[in-house]
Amino acid sequence: MRPVTKGNAPNIYANYQDAASDLQSCIGEFCSYCERHIETHLAVEHIQAKTHVPALRNSWINFLLACVNCNSKKGRKKIILDNYLWPDIDNTLMAFEYSTGGLVKVNTTVPASIQVLAMSTIKLVGLDNEPGNPDIKSRPTKKDRRWLRRQQVWQLAEECKNKLIANNTIEVRELIVSNAVGRGMFSIWWTVFNGDQDMRERLRVAFIGTAADCFDHNENLINRVGGKI
Ligand SMILES: [Zn+2]
C-alpha cells in the first residue's frame, strides 16, 4: 500500500465531494488502498465513516480516495484508527509484501504488533480477496477484479523489467515509469524493481503524493515519523 502525503487542506469544503479533485491533485488518481489507477468514479473516502463521526464529514484529515470495491468492502464499519495502518499516516509500504502474481500479504519481518494491524487492514478492504484464497469468504465477488488487475500489473512490470535488462536506456526507464503511472499499483512496480535504485526513485517521484519521508537516500524504506511503522 503506497504511503502518501496529502499535505494541508487546500480548501475548506462545504461538501466532501468537492474535495475529490484536490485529492487527485495531491495523491494522484489512485485508490488509496488497492492502488489501481482509476479515471472515473474514484470516490472521496472517509477514513472514519461519516455516520459514526459526523464532525469529520467534510474534513480533509479524514479523506482518502477509494475505488468502488475498496469503498464497499470497507463500508460503514466503525473505525478505531489505531487498529489499522493508514497510507497517510504510516509507512504502509513497509508493512505489506507483494509477491508473484500480485498477491498481498503481511510483511513477516516487521514487529508482531504491526503484523496484526497490517492483517486487519488487509481484511478491512479485502486486499486478500482472490480466487485462490482457501477461505471461501475471502474470495472475490464477480464485480471485484482487483486481484486480476494486480496479477496483470505484476506480469507487465516483470516484462518491463526484462525489456530494461535488454535495453537499459533512460528512454526505456521513462517509458516504463509513465506506463506504471497509467496503470497504478505503485507497490507492485516498486517491488518488481527491487535492486534498481534509479527506477525506484523514478517511480516514487512520478507517483504524485508518495510520502518521501518513508524512504531514505538509497530508496530503502524507513519508519515514518508519527506513524506506527
Ligand atoms: Zn481500491
Side-chain angles (χ1 to χ4, degrees):
M1 193 178 288
R2 182 177 69 117
V4 296
T5 300
K6 287 184 293 187
N8 294 325
N11 281 300
I12 292 168
Y13 306 100
N15 300 300
Y16 67 85
Q17 293 95 331
D18 298 339
S21 61
D22 284 340
L23 282 163
Q24 288 175 26
S25 300
C26 291
I27 57 174
E29 295 175 316
F30 309 103
C31 174
S32 300
Y33 301 119
C34 73
E35 304 185 50
R36 285 184 296 177
H37 179 256
I38 310 272
E39 285 176 26
T40 54
H41 305 302
L42 190 57
V44 174
E45 139 76 359
H46 290 88
I47 297 169
Q48 301 199 69
K50 42 193 185 297
T51 44
H52 294 299
V53 191
L56 294 178
R57 183 186 177 88
N58 296 324
S59 176
W60 180 256
I61 57 161
N62 194 37
F63 294 156
L64 286 171
L65 289 166
C67 72
V68 290
N69 297 119
C70 291
N71 212 345
S72 73
K73 183 76 187 175
K74 182 164 170 278
R76 294 176 184 173
K77 292 183 192 86
K78 191 165 186 174
I79 298 292
I80 296 168
L81 289 178
D82 284 347
N83 289 353
Y84 304 93
L85 299 174
W86 302 103
D88 60 335
I89 295 173
D90 303 298
N91 188 346
T92 38
L93 191 54
M94 215 173 185
F96 301 101
E97 195 179 278
Y98 293 75
S99 55
T100 309
L103 290 178
V104 188
K105 289 180 183 160
V106 171
N107 179 356
T108 53
T109 66
V110 301
S113 60
I114 298 295
Q115 292 184 40
V116 172
L117 304 181
M119 182 49 81
S120 300
T121 309
I122 284 177
K123 292 287 178 193
L124 179 68
V125 289
L127 289 182
D128 61 342
N129 286 8
E130 48 93 19
N133 196 314
D135 177 6
I136 292 174
K137 280 183 267 175
S138 294
R139 294 203 183 140
T141 60
K142 276 187 184 153
K143 288 183 179 172
D144 181 3
R145 292 161 69 84
R146 294 174 294 178
W147 64 275
L148 181 61
R149 186 48 58 93
R150 277 199 305 272
Q151 214 173 61
Q152 291 166 340
V153 169
W154 182 279
Q155 194 181 338
L156 179 66
E158 292 268 21
E159 285 167 15
C160 286
K161 191 180 179 182
N162 290 335
K163 284 205 168 70
L164 186 60
I165 290 167
N167 186 15
N168 194 345
T169 64
I170 300 288
E171 288 73 22
V172 171
R173 287 174 180 267
E174 286 173 350
L175 209 59
I176 292 171
V177 170
S178 68
N179 207 340
V181 171
R183 306 285 177 137
M185 304 209 167
F186 169 84
S187 298
I188 287 179
W189 294 93
W190 197 85
T191 303
V192 168
F193 282 94
N194 179 21
D196 190 331
Q197 189 180 327
D198 173 77
M199 277 303 285
R200 282 189 158 183
E201 183 180 355
R202 286 175 190 277
L203 289 162
R204 177 177 59 75
V205 172
F207 278 76
I208 192 162
T210 304
D213 59 351
C214 290
F215 304 81
D216 68 11
H217 293 305
N218 299 315
E219 300 301 322
N220 295 315
L221 297 173
I222 52 173
N223 284 306
R224 191 171 189 178
V225 175
K228 298 180 278 300
I229 182 171

